[in-house]
Amino acid sequence: MRKPKLAVWKFASCDGCQLSLLDAEDELLAVAGAVEIANFPEASREVLPGPYQLSLVEGSITTPHDAERIQQVRSESEFLVTIGACATAGGIQALRNWADVAEFTRSVYATPEFIDTLDTSTAIADHVTVDFELRGCPINKGQLLEVVNAFLYGRRPDIPGYSVCIECKRRGTTCVMVADGTPCLGPVTQAGCGALCPAYHRGCYGCFGPAESANLPALISELRRLEVDDATLVRALRTYNAYAPEFRAASDELEVTG
Amino acid sequence: MEAASVLERRNFNGLLDALTARGYRPIGPVLEAGRIVYGPIQRDSDLPIGKTDIHDGGMYRIADRPDDALFGYNLPSDSWKQYLFPPHSRLWTATKSNGSFTVAAEEIDPPRYALLGVRACELAAIRVQDTVFTGAFPDRQYNAVRDDVLIVGVNCGQAGGTCFCTSMGTGPQLTDGYDLVLTELLDGDHRFLVRSGTATGADILRELPLTPATPADCAEAEALIEHVSGHMGRMLDTDGIKDLLYDNAEHERWDDVATRCLACANCTMVCPTCFCVTTEDRPTLDGATAERWRTWDSCFSLGFSHIHGGPIRTSVKARYRQWMTHKLATWIDQFGTSGCVGCGRCITWCPVGIDITHEVAAIRTEEAVHAHR
Ligand code: SF4
Ligand code: SF4
Ligand code: SF4
């Protein structure tokens, strides 16, 4: 039987998510044994022709060219998985969606006419059908291997949508919000990182985006009680997953009411 | 009840030595980065000497005591569940061979824990889990750990801000089910009133330099318990609780709590009786082996009620109602006891301070209002 072809595609991103695959040192050989790696920009320049049974898409859509290229990738991919906050929510670069991009290009580039960019940074799912979204900035390599594994065996990936708090408690971390009054986005953020920040006495930054039942208004009123001002709340919600619908709605609402 | 004896504070390490000499690994309260959690105890100096804890809805702080009490706090943030029923455990491994496969159950060789500082509500919680795991479907792993556990209970010398054990009939005094029970006495000489509850406990006591308890020692211990009973931070009226919740499944209070609840699941994770899990099968990429893991899950997660076609408790309202109704009502039908021991952890560790006692009271008073209309 021919091995399925796996391709990694890069759009507007920092490469951190595909590096998670390269970082899976112990498992990389097993991955290479189970699939044919047809495209992996961080590992090799060689690109084998499609179709691709599994495409991992990193990065967001920020240019007209990329908006076309993603259509091409989709048409050549049987199963398309977005990896990371850029691909699933537009990434940190989605902050441009609240700003004037022409103004940015004028102040950054000597010859802004050469810059051909969109006004927005958007998720892959805003452009093509996505079969599965893997969250995180960056993604967790264990979760990535789980997705590849699930694909190989035709099963649903075991990637829970519940909150970071569950991981926090499982690892035995004492809640920083309750015990220190440290603001934490964990209750509205999807698990996946293993509750890394609270284990180091810091609040969750929301890297994995909104959890399945995220109740932003309830957390926001609690954070206000902890004396976090609205401007800070807006900044906290506008990071890697700023444009994820629930975070975006909450930060917009704060700007209106705040 | 065994006659009580007195262990002087300066001889406390003798107790720890006796436990380790018997092959036990003592686990008890330790101060770690400004919180009291359960961890390994080697010497008395590992205990949170002179510290106490302040609990309220969604709030926990450590404070200094005016004395050098070893057990002068109420409850650590984690519970004994972390040890008796760990968050992750591998159940079995399957290996492919000759077109078939073999399944090997996980070999279990748990440490022999001596749980030091078990409160009355916590022992009640352990016994609730005993019923769950030793009943019709005995759980191999739980029982392997549980069978060897030695329990050194310590009666509470104060009531916590979120405690309501008296409402649930579980405390503050340990009455049975322990190997040893201590009451820390701080009036005059710092000492412990000790009693054994089992032959092992009695054997251990024989090795310690004890003196017989005087009537004054016993009176001091009794007064302490009485004081604690009278100062519970919370109260829950359990009168007719099952019918109250069954009759009010559509009460508007559930909508109200759903606006406040984060569905974060902290309440279930910290609850010493909650036992819900999910299982995951993890094959290796080459398919040569697969492992089945069991992991703590929660009725607050969407996946938990996922049956074919999708989850059945899609709203947070349905999930909170499920949790509270199971704890306080359906648990009684299922296991013959309440699923709540009144430890207050779900109140303290709820990031938004949702309070099971307030929620019940709200349903009760609003129901009364409806009834009298
Ligand atoms: S520290 Fe944050 S993630 Fe952990 S339990 Fe508390 S609120 Fe949840
Ligand atoms: S429901 Fe709350 S108070 Fe009752 S046993 Fe569980 S954590 Fe303790
Ligand atoms: S009651 Fe509190 S701890 Fe429980 S799920 Fe709701 S917000 Fe989280």
Side-chain angles (χ1 to χ4, degrees):
Chain A
M1 206 180 72
R2 259 192 86 83
K3 289 196 281 186
K5 273 189 194 164
L6 179 146
V8 180
W9 307 98
K10 176 184 161 58
F11 290 81
S13 63
C14 75
D15 282 30
C17 289
Q18 24 171 334
L19 281 173
S20 306
L21 184 55
L22 212 54
D23 187 37
E25 289 163 2
D26 297 340
E27 300 89 351
L28 200 55
L29 279 178
V31 173
V35 298
E36 182 176 9
I37 297 184
N39 182 26
F40 190 1
E42 274 288 344
S44 153
R45 235 181 287 171
E46 187 188 23
V47 183
L48 302 179
Y52 310 99
Q53 278 69 49
L54 177 60
S55 275
L56 303 177
V57 177
E58 176 194 84
S60 67
I61 303 298
T62 57
T63 66
H65 173 241
D66 278 355
E68 277 170 34
R69 192 161 60 96
I70 188 63
Q71 301 295 337
Q72 182 64 29
V73 168
R74 176 69 266 191
S75 68
E76 289 187 307
S77 308
E78 286 171 22
F79 202 77
L80 188 152
V81 175
T82 57
I83 58 169
C86 299
T88 51
I92 188 85
Q93 60 271 30
L95 289 179
R96 70 160 67 180
N97 303 358
W98 283 278
D100 180 358
V101 175
E103 162 99 39
F104 283 172
T105 45
R106 272 197 306 278
S107 51
V108 173
Y109 298 101
T111 326
E113 309 78 84
F114 292 162
I115 304 299
D116 186 13
T117 188
L118 297 169
D119 287 341
T120 53
S121 168
T122 46
I124 299 299
D126 291 342
H127 300 264
V128 297
T129 303
V130 169
D131 297 301
F132 191 80
E133 293 187 328
L134 189 60
R135 305 281 199 82
C137 183
I139 54 168
N140 171 304
K141 79 173 187 192
Q143 287 202 329
L144 178 62
L145 289 166
E146 165 61 15
V147 167
V148 173
N149 190 312
F151 164 77
L152 286 171
Y153 292 98
R155 61 183 176 86
R156 214 168 67 130
D158 179 29
I159 307 289
Y162 49 59
S163 72
V164 173
C165 300
I166 291 193
E167 290 187 315
C168 204
K169 285 294 184 293
R170 281 186 193 146
R171 74 186 277 170
T173 302
T174 301
C175 179
V176 300
M177 196 136 79
V178 172
D180 308 320
T182 301
C184 180
L185 289 179
V188 295
T189 301
Q190 182 170 307
C193 62
L196 195 58
C197 288
Y200 293 91
H201 306 292
R202 307 201 313 189
C204 164
Y205 290 90
C207 310
F208 279 63
E212 59 193 10
S213 309
N215 185 346
L216 270 301
L219 183 66
I220 285 169
S221 52
E222 180 62 21
L223 294 176
R224 282 175 169 156
R225 212 182 53 82
L226 293 175
E227 292 176 1
V228 183
D229 61 56
D230 284 7
T232 308
L233 283 170
V234 169
R235 275 204 305 281
L237 291 168
R238 290 192 185 160
T239 62
Y240 326 105
N241 291 285
Y243 226 56
E246 295 85 347
F247 284 5
R248 174 187 166 189
S251 71
D252 283 346
E253 170 82 15
L254 279 164
E255 275 189 338
V256 173
T257 59
Chain B
M1 204 186 287
E2 285 282 310
S5 310
V6 168
L7 175 72
E8 296 294 333
R9 160 67 184 90
R10 64 188 143 81
N11 294 323
F12 190 83
N13 275 330
L15 172 61
L16 294 174
D17 293 339
L19 297 174
T20 34
R22 283 180 158 71
Y24 286 108
R25 190 191 293 183
I27 307 288
V30 296
L31 190 66
E32 198 185 275
R35 45 275 245 146
I36 295 170
V37 296
Y38 286 127
I41 302 286
Q42 264 139 25
R43 308 312 291 162
D44 54 5
S45 54
D46 294 328
L47 296 164
I49 298 175
K51 298 288 179 190
T52 192
D53 47 2
I54 301 165
H55 293 252
D56 203 347
M59 199 283 300
Y60 170 93
R61 294 290 183 275
I62 289 293
D64 290 326
R65 290 176 60 94
D67 53 39
D68 287 329
L70 305 188
F71 298 94
Y73 61 92
N74 277 99
L75 287 174
S77 61
D78 52 353
S79 75
W80 300 111
K81 181 168 93 169
Q82 213 88 20
Y83 293 88
L84 298 174
F85 183 55
H88 300 282
S89 51
R90 185 166 51 203
L91 300 180
W92 47 255
T93 306
T95 312
K96 222 185 215 172
S97 59
N98 303 327
S100 178
F101 63 91
T102 53
V103 176
E106 186 69 6
E107 285 188 27
I108 321 171
D109 186 18
R112 301 175 66 213
Y113 293 123
L115 309 184
L116 183 64
V118 178
R119 303 302 193 183
C121 64
E122 296 189 295
L123 184 52
I126 292 172
R127 295 172 111 187
V128 168
Q129 287 211 329
D130 286 349
T131 310
V132 173
F133 292 125
T134 59
F137 306 97
D139 186 81
R140 232 177 114 242
Q141 299 201 344
Y142 179 87
N143 286 296
V145 181
R146 179 70 177 98
D147 285 349
D148 281 341
V149 156
L150 183 106
I151 289 180
V152 184
V154 177
N155 287 319
C156 285
Q158 64 186 36
T162 56
C163 291
F164 56 104
C165 61
T166 46
S167 300
M168 305 315 290
T170 58
Q173 184 162 26
L174 289 110
T175 49
D176 59 346
Y178 52 79
D179 293 281
L180 290 172
V181 63
L182 318 182
T183 309
E184 185 165 26
L185 301 177
L186 295 151
D187 259 4
D189 286 345
H190 190 174
R191 65 213 190 281
F192 294 88
L193 193 76
V194 297
R195 278 196 174 93
S196 62
T198 58
T200 315
D203 277 352
I204 291 170
L205 289 192
R206 267 191 283 281
E207 286 169 26
L208 302 180
L210 303 177
T211 52
T214 64
D217 295 325
C218 295
E220 189 184 334
E222 264 166 47
L224 210 52
I225 297 291
E226 202 167 312
H227 180 83
V228 175
S229 303
H231 286 81
M232 289 286 134
R234 296 288 197 274
M235 189 296 241
L236 195 153
D237 179 1
T238 58
D239 190 32
I241 187 98
K242 230 172 66 170
D243 289 337
L244 178 76
L245 294 179
Y246 289 169
D247 293 347
N248 285 289
E250 298 304 330
H251 199 283
E252 58 210 26
R253 185 70 184 187
W254 303 118
D255 292 304
D256 181 87
V257 71
T259 64
R260 289 173 280 132
C261 175
L262 302 163
C264 63
N266 273 305
C267 47
T268 55
M269 296 285 118
V270 296
C271 177
T273 69
C274 276
F275 58 85
C276 286
V277 290
T278 184
T279 51
E280 306 143 27
D281 288 348
R282 298 183 189 163
T284 48
L285 277 170
D286 63 6
T289 59
E291 297 175 345
R292 173 160 294 182
W293 283 78
R294 173 164 80 181
T295 307
W296 286 359
D297 200 349
S298 167
C299 51
F300 279 93
S301 83
L302 206 47
F304 188 73
S305 71
H306 192 110
I307 53 172
H308 82 281
I312 53 168
R313 283 191 284 271
T314 49
S315 68
V316 173
K317 168 187 168 180
R319 285 177 252 165
Y320 187 86
R321 181 177 57 197
Q322 159 65 25
W323 175 69
M324 200 172 95
T325 310
H326 189 209
K327 283 282 110 158
L328 297 172
T330 48
W331 203 295
I332 301 173
D333 288 334
Q334 193 181 4
F335 299 112
T337 65
S338 176
C340 174
V341 298
C343 72
R345 278 190 175 91
C346 57
I347 306 172
T348 301
W349 299 104
C350 170
V352 291
I354 292 173
D355 183 329
I356 188 170
T357 66
H358 292 172
E359 295 311 313
V360 171
I363 287 177
R364 200 182 279 285
T365 47
E366 287 165 29
E367 192 204 45
V369 171
H370 289 298
H372 288 113
R373 242 181 230 156

